[in-house]
Amino acid sequence: MCLGIPGELVGPAEEHADLAVVDISGVRRRINVALLAGEDLKPGDWVLVHVGFALSKISESEAKAVLDMLLGTGQAYDDEIDALKGSDIT
Amino acid sequence: MRFVDEYRDAAAARALAARIASRCEPGREYKFMEVCGGHTHTIYKHGLEDHLPPAVTLVHGPGCPVCVIPMGRVDDAIHIARRPDVIMTSFGDMMRVPGGEGSFLDAKAEGADIRMVYSPLDALKIARENPDRNVVFMGIGFETTTPSTAMTVLRAAEEGVGNFSVFCNHVLIIPAIKAILDSPDLRLDGFVGPGHVSAVIGCEPYRFIAEEHGKPLVVAGFEPLDILQSVDMLLAQVGEGRSVVENQYARVVPWEGNRIALEAIGKVMRVRPHFEWRGLGFISHSALEMSDEYAAFDAERIFDVPGARIADPKSCQCGEVLKGVLKPWECKVFGTACTPETPIGTCMVSSEGACAAYYNFGRFSRERVREATRA
Ligand code: SF4
């Protein structure tokens, strides 16, 4: 729950102006990007996602480093990805 | 040397470790607290303590949100969840946290409708889909998760979803650090500041730690190198007799935090006069509740909540662990009666809890095991 997971922005979501589609380790889900309203987000940008909300915009190299580290956490990361798979935010 | 095998920047780590060692004055001990459970996890996972000179100790702080939820709040939440009209929703981390009468998982097995969600927005969706039920979201976490809860409530208000509410247990990092600074048990030389919490609150709120308490704080990232670098920055400050707030994690943490998140929290929530923390007791102004404007989304005002107060089990020493006074393996039940499968205390439940992190990783480090058997 406290893990920030890097996601790559795919594009805006139709359901609500605050939502966008991200790719997180191959899982595509809608997340809320309203906390980064000032950031001028574009497809291909990376964000750190916490419980369905993008909390920080990060560089691609930072995203890769965080992912490497998360993959090493094993169960904690798997649990987070499993939880994410069950998420269907609108 | 697990860490060196695994980590891509082994040479950088070695150089940092050498610099850290060279900064230590002979005969002096240095104790730094890492406030955030995510840091605790990295430290044990990568055996970072083995890379620090014996004079430098990292002690683990209270920054694991699941760990600090008192038993009474779990019981109160289960009391609400048992109502037939209620669907309780919660992050997975919360499911196994023991209350006085069992955990969410136990209550679920006994028939309470408790559902795991990834995001409070998933809870809101369940509310939309079940208009005849009251959907309650168990809000837990420091300032990393609080904005999500606040933004979800704003969305519920915007849509006029009337059957959604929050059982708010969101806690604040600054009062927790204050409580630790005021506690006589521990002499600290500085803090490794939390990363993601700081992305929300920024770095300014820590200033009192440097200015009033004379302790340096370095906001740190979560990679092994980040933590080593932060320790190096802390030692540099101590050596030069300075105490300021520094930001090692500027690539993610803006100095001023996230204004939109802070505004949402300020709108939807207000500071509670006091809140009980597991193992730490009552700390004033240390948690949030729903504001009057958003009272309609406050589970505590909608439902009759017993306000249970339950003492921690006698054998549990989570309070000492959360304050950094005891190392996990020094707790009498660690690894015997208390394991991740059968947790007695909360620090064993979440992967960010110091006891679970140490149980899962730390004990494989030879150096630590030697220390553990000595303790
Ligand atoms: S071993 Fe268990 S009871 Fe002891 S401090 Fe850790 S979590 Fe608490």
Side-chain angles (χ1 to χ4, degrees), chain B residues 315-319 321 328 331-335 338-339 343-349 355-356:
Chain B
S315 54
C316 167
Q317 294 188 286
C318 291
V321 169
C331 172
K332 285 188 279 302
V333 292
F334 176 84
C338 186
T339 65
I344 291 179
T346 40
C347 305
M348 198 53 105
V349 177
C355 292

Side-chain angles (χ1 to χ4, degrees), chain A residues 45-66:
Chain A
D45 283 348
W46 286 84
V47 290
L48 268 186
V49 182
H50 292 261
V51 299
F53 286 76
L55 199 55
S56 327
K57 184 176 165 187
I58 54 174
S59 69
E60 185 172 354
S61 60
E62 174 68 13
K64 294 276 183 291
V66 175

